[in-house]
Amino acid sequence: MNTKSELVNLMNKLRRYPGTKPFSSDQKGIFFGRSEDIAGLAELVNIEQLTVLYSKSGLGKSSLINAGVLPKLEKEDRLIPYSLRFGAYTPNNTTSPLSITTQTIGYSGETKLLDKIIPKDNSLWYHLKSDQIAKQEKRGYLLIFDQFEELFTYPEAQIAAFGKQLAELLYTTIPERFRKVVESEIWEKGNQSFLSEQDQKDLHKPLKIKILMAIRSDRMSLMNRLKDHLPHVLKNCYELLPLSVEQAEDAILIPAFLKDSKFESPPFDYDYPSIAKVLDFLTDGDKQDIASFQLQILCEYLEKKVIDQQLRLIQEHHLGDIKNLFKNYYDDQIATLGNHEEQLAARKLLEEALIFEEEERRLTLYEGIILKSHGMTPELLRKLLDSRLLRSERSTQGEGYNYEISHDSLVAPILKSKEKRIATEEQNRQIEEEKGKLEEERQRLLAEERERQKHLEIEKKKKKRNRRLAMVGFVLSAISIVMSIWALSAQNNAKKLQLKAESALENLARSEEIRRSENFERFRTSAQDKMNAGDYAIAQEALEAAMSFTIIQKDKNTIQALLMANQDLWDSKLAFDAAIKAGEIAEVEGKDLEALNLYTKAKGQARRDQDNQMAEAKIALIKKELEPKFNKLINNAQVYDKIGACDLVRKELRQANQIRKYLNESQLNKDVLKAIQKLKCN
């Protein structure tokens, strides 16, 4: 069992490959393959005021800056670096590119000189100039804007304001508004003591400003929107090209070789076939460029195998199905997060809240909004960070963090997974809807059955009432006769009343006969339909209902015959199902002959074409498997015959003869039959 200190030590261990996250400055010791780009970009930054780094997404611009150029410039100690990200604009965003930059570089100390001229100017020039004066700083300042394409998601007015101040910072020693105040105080008002000699030296000392902007190649055209204020913004550009095969080998192999106890994995190596397969995969057989992002995910996956399996050499079989690695990366990481509800909350956050789908662009969300509005807990958010699907940066507001998807290259797989999820949800919705319809139909049939029972009860009551009416009719007739004796004058009226009563009874009897005939026919037809469909239980109920509506003996005979036929079919179906089930059990237990007999028995019980076809299919399958068993038994008998083990020979022949009964002679191999005849023990 690990002690608490051992667990803490394990948690502090480092990985050799960062996976989806860009390299950070403290990972410079494992950043390889980009030495020429580090030197070239650092040199350009030192020479030029404004440099634009551009490349396709996924080639490692952020990593080059963080783990390559920044450590080199910090070592030279000629520039003070500030790294910034704007994050993508959202409608409820209360910050602007200018405010984000100001908060990052903001000087919080005393600024007596500048505040004496224009108090709290709050411009970019004001903050860096204040720092220079207060610290008597001799070094220059480097502003690094990563993911610079995010600037152009903000309103045009905010972009213009940012461009204007950036131009002032780059190209102005003293802004015009400061110069005018100084000239007014000294020359117009004659206040010669307004600035001391040291103040004037500090004010006129130039700011050494360097700016590095990193942007995706497919967003380079957006830079033209800054040309009103920065006309030469695209003059000094550095293109980060895809890794060459040699660079990729360095990026893969050198981190694996490093010997240092800070790593979670032991040092390991790749054999030639495995490294060749990795490079072939990354280049798609020399048909595509190598993306640093994909390389790091693959290496992270392999390092995990090294840790889990305690490997020291990666061989080709350890690679597994790497072709599906990126396709499944997102889904695999989501699957590790916990229960279904947590996984769904994580999916909806990444797929719906952190991507602007129309442009396939990442969005940034503040931690508080995520926890409040997206069903996330701090623990689940931490798991997402650990999975490297998300990355975080401290909020420019000073408290909490902003979160975004860790890399542009994940956007497409996430959207594809979203499409699959929505399709699955729609399919499940349709299934649930169909279940609801089936339940409604079941309830409807139950209601019809209750109504039928109710109708039968009513019919019984009607029969009873009709008998009473008949008795009443007879009584009325008797009364009519009696009355004719006592009141001869009313004889004609009595006869008329009798005729009416008899007519009513005849009409009632005729109506009852028609109704019974209709019900009889309806239930008889329903019963035959159910019999044809093999639903013998419901057919039995329908036939019993039809019997209750029979009038003539012929109909009764018909129903009796159908009841017997239905019972026969029902019994046959039960016997068929039992034989099939027993045959399947025998087949699972390896008792093929017993299974064959049972399937043959089932065929004899089959009354419907589909049952007959099922039994024949199972018989054919068993017989197909019996022939090789027959041949094997004969081969065994030949072996036993050679060594004179006649008891074993006869045993094998007995089993073979049992099988032979079920095989057509045409199926049997003639050589095998000849072998039987040649047996000495036969």
Side-chain angles (χ1 to χ4, degrees), residues 220-371:
M220 279 285 281
S221 61
L222 296 172
M223 300 292 282
N224 291 318
R225 293 166 66 180
L226 293 176
K227 283 194 171 181
D228 286 348
H229 302 289
L230 300 168
H232 305 298
V233 66
L234 294 176
K235 180 182 177 182
N236 303 303
C237 296
Y238 189 94
E239 181 180 10
L240 181 62
L241 297 173
L243 289 166
S244 67
V245 171
E246 293 75 16
Q247 290 173 318
E249 284 187 0
D250 288 347
I252 295 169
L253 296 175
I254 298 178
F257 297 158
L258 296 176
K259 296 180 179 180
D260 197 319
S261 60
K262 67 183 179 182
F263 292 120
E264 188 176 349
S265 62
F268 61 96
D269 197 357
Y270 297 75
D271 67 6
Y272 178 77
S274 65
I275 195 68
K277 185 173 181 179
V278 166
L279 293 171
D280 182 71
F281 168 71
L282 291 172
T283 62
D284 192 18
D286 291 329
K287 290 185 287 187
Q288 70 178 22
D289 296 326
I290 297 176
S292 302
F293 170 77
Q294 293 181 335
L295 181 148
Q296 290 300 324
I297 288 181
L298 177 55
C299 290
E300 180 191 38
Y301 159 75
L302 294 174
E303 185 182 10
K304 187 175 185 302
K305 281 203 168 186
V306 168
I307 295 169
D308 293 343
Q309 301 178 25
Q310 290 298 300
L311 303 176
R312 289 302 180 102
L313 179 66
I314 296 288
Q315 296 177 304
E316 189 172 0
H317 68 273
H318 293 129
L319 301 181
D321 185 14
I322 59 175
K323 289 185 178 179
N324 285 320
L325 178 63
F326 301 105
K327 178 181 176 183
N328 300 330
Y329 183 82
Y330 170 66
D331 290 331
D332 290 345
Q333 294 301 318
I334 289 292
T336 65
L337 294 180
N339 59 39
H340 175 73
E341 288 74 17
E342 290 177 318
Q343 292 177 22
L344 184 59
R347 283 185 179 276
K348 288 188 173 181
L349 173 67
L350 275 78
E351 296 168 8
E352 299 174 5
L354 292 177
I355 294 178
F356 183 44
E357 190 165 353
E358 286 77 3
E359 297 181 8
E360 295 192 5
R361 173 166 54 81
R362 291 181 292 162
L363 298 174
T364 302
L365 273 185
Y366 177 60
E367 179 178 15
I369 296 174
I370 292 175
L371 295 175

Side-chain angles (χ1 to χ4, degrees), residues 290-563:
I290 297 176
S292 302
F293 170 77
Q294 293 181 335
L295 181 148
Q296 290 300 324
I297 288 181
L298 177 55
C299 290
E300 180 191 38
Y301 159 75
L302 294 174
E303 185 182 10
K304 187 175 185 302
K305 281 203 168 186
V306 168
I307 295 169
D308 293 343
Q309 301 178 25
Q310 290 298 300
L311 303 176
R312 289 302 180 102
L313 179 66
I314 296 288
Q315 296 177 304
E316 189 172 0
H317 68 273
H318 293 129
L319 301 181
D321 185 14
I322 59 175
K323 289 185 178 179
N324 285 320
L325 178 63
F326 301 105
K327 178 181 176 183
N328 300 330
Y329 183 82
Y330 170 66
D331 290 331
D332 290 345
Q333 294 301 318
I334 289 292
T336 65
L337 294 180
N339 59 39
H340 175 73
E341 288 74 17
E342 290 177 318
Q343 292 177 22
L344 184 59
R347 283 185 179 276
K348 288 188 173 181
L349 173 67
L350 275 78
E351 296 168 8
E352 299 174 5
L354 292 177
I355 294 178
F356 183 44
E357 190 165 353
E358 286 77 3
E359 297 181 8
E360 295 192 5
R361 173 166 54 81
R362 291 181 292 162
L363 298 174
T364 302
L365 273 185
Y366 177 60
E367 179 178 15
I369 296 174
I370 292 175
L371 295 175
K372 181 179 180 181
S373 305
H374 294 279
M376 302 291 289
T377 62
E379 176 63 16
L380 183 54
L381 198 56
R382 182 193 64 76
K383 288 180 180 179
L384 271 175
L385 275 175
D386 291 344
S387 74
R388 305 196 179 187
L389 292 174
L390 282 187
R391 63 188 297 268
S392 64
E393 287 191 356
R394 183 167 290 280
S395 171
T396 55
Q397 304 297 324
E399 295 183 2
Y401 289 85
N402 291 324
Y403 290 83
E404 67 176 354
I405 292 168
S406 57
H407 201 279
D408 288 333
S409 298
L410 280 175
V411 171
I414 289 174
L415 289 178
K416 187 173 182 180
S417 183
K418 175 187 176 183
E419 181 181 351
K420 182 179 177 182
R421 171 177 65 84
I422 291 175
T424 302
E425 289 174 353
E426 175 60 21
Q427 184 180 18
N428 291 338
R429 185 194 67 77
Q430 291 177 358
I431 290 172
E432 290 301 318
E433 186 177 304
E434 189 63 27
K435 285 182 179 178
K437 289 180 180 178
L438 290 173
E439 178 61 22
E440 287 179 6
E441 179 65 14
R442 190 178 75 84
Q443 293 297 332
R444 185 186 67 77
L445 292 172
L446 287 174
E448 285 183 358
E449 179 62 19
R450 287 193 294 269
E451 188 63 27
R452 185 180 71 81
Q453 294 295 337
K454 182 179 177 182
H455 181 72
L456 290 173
E457 188 63 30
I458 291 172
E459 291 300 325
K460 288 180 182 178
K461 290 180 179 179
K462 283 183 178 180
K463 288 180 184 178
K464 190 174 182 180
R465 186 185 65 182
N466 290 338
R467 286 194 296 270
R468 289 176 179 173
L469 286 174
M471 290 297 295
V472 169
F474 288 121
V475 170
L476 288 174
S477 298
I479 292 172
S480 175
I481 295 170
V482 172
M483 289 298 291
S484 68
I485 298 172
W486 291 95
L488 188 57
S489 61
Q491 185 176 13
N492 291 333
N493 291 334
K495 286 182 178 180
K496 290 179 181 178
L497 288 171
Q498 183 180 1
L499 290 172
K500 286 183 179 180
E502 289 174 351
S503 177
L505 286 172
E506 287 175 0
N507 291 336
L508 186 61
R510 192 177 298 110
S511 298
E512 174 65 7
E513 185 177 342
I514 292 170
R515 184 190 62 77
R516 290 173 64 85
S517 179
E518 289 175 347
N519 286 336
F520 167 82
E521 189 60 25
R522 179 165 66 87
F523 282 110
R524 184 191 64 78
T525 303
S526 175
Q528 287 187 327
D529 290 341
K530 296 299 181 182
M531 287 171 67
N532 292 336
D535 200 345
Y536 304 118
I538 296 177
Q540 181 84 7
E541 293 178 3
L543 288 170
E544 289 172 357
M547 180 65 83
S548 68
F549 290 108
T550 56
I551 299 172
I552 60 176
Q553 187 61 41
K554 179 182 177 182
D555 291 342
K556 290 184 178 180
N557 293 341
T558 299
I559 296 303
Q560 286 290 353
L562 288 173
L563 282 168

Side-chain angles (χ1 to χ4, degrees), residues 75-133:
K75 186 177 181 180
E76 294 172 357
D77 200 29
R78 293 198 293 264
L79 296 169
I80 302 172
Y82 292 95
S83 295
L84 298 100
R85 277 262 331 256
F86 299 127
Y89 175 76
T90 55
N92 58 353
N93 203 339
T94 58
T95 60
S96 68
L98 199 54
S99 65
I100 292 169
T101 308
T102 302
Q103 289 167 9
T104 303
I105 68 172
Y107 178 73
S108 58
E110 292 187 356
T111 55
K112 292 181 179 180
L113 172 56
L114 298 185
D115 284 344
K116 184 178 182 180
I117 302 170
I118 299 178
K120 305 301 179 184
D121 180 68
N122 204 36
S123 64
L124 301 182
W125 181 88
Y126 170 87
H127 284 286
L128 291 182
K129 188 67 177 177
S130 297
D131 186 82
Q132 182 198 48
I133 294 171

